[in-house]
Amino acid sequence: MLRALIVVDVQKDFCEGGSVPVKGGADRAAAIAELLRRSGGQYAFVVATRDHHIDPGSHFSENPDFQDSFPVHCVVGSEGGEFHPDFVPAVDSGQVDEVVFKGAHSASKSGFEGFTQDGTTLADWLKARDVTDLDIVGIATDHCVKATAMDGVRAGFAVRVLLDYTAGVALDTTQAAVDELRRAGVALSGAPVVVA
Ligand SMILES: [Zn+2]
């Protein structure tokens, strides 16, 4: 059994001060960096996903519904698309083995829709390294974390979401996401973090 940690979208635009801010996002960025510092080799690999938009069509809207359409965010080359500064040291110190970019020309909530810089999908990257189990953390619980976890199950991985290391947009949608994940066979640890 080889376990990887998937860190979903810990980017400036999804944290306080960003264009689609999730309350508690910055705090979770720091917590995830701490999780990596003291993980003591329990993860064979760590992969971070990034929302990485060029022209994602109706995913961007001036009148967003915050379900399928959102204000402009995580545009390629923009500051908002960068990793949150509290997570950057984990990347710069080499604790993150690979970065997966998603959403260039469409909405892509799941990390499994993304590609590494050399064009490998997340599932292929993990399977080439004999990874069987995934722990998933990041932002937002009720959007990209949920979508990534659901796709992880579909791709044949044993998936666990570490809820203490996620941030949700709203209580009702986060609770619905947790229920959906549980029904799909995703293991859950901790309690969902939703900052009112
Ligand atoms: Zn997006």
Side-chain angles (χ1 to χ4, degrees), residues 23 141-142 166-172 174-175 191-196:
K23 287 179 190 167
T141 324
D142 32 357
T166 64
V169 174
L171 198 54
D172 55 344
T174 298
Q175 195 54 56
V193 177
V194 181
V195 178

Side-chain angles (χ1 to χ4, degrees), residues 8-32 73-74 79-87 138-140 166-167 169:
V8 176
D9 294 9
V10 180
Q11 291 165 273
K12 286 186 178 179
D13 270 343
F14 296 135
C15 297
E16 291 87 341
S19 63
V20 190
V22 180
K23 287 179 190 167
D27 187 52
R28 293 305 85 196
I32 291 165
H73 61 275
C74 298
E79 188 189 343
E82 293 172 7
F83 287 123
H84 187 276
D86 287 345
F87 182 61
I139 309 169
T166 64
V169 174

Side-chain angles (χ1 to χ4, degrees), residues 14 51 53 59-60 73-74 102 108:
F14 296 135
D51 218 20
H53 294 309
H59 184 53
F60 285 170
H73 61 275
C74 298
K102 62 186 176 64
S108 292

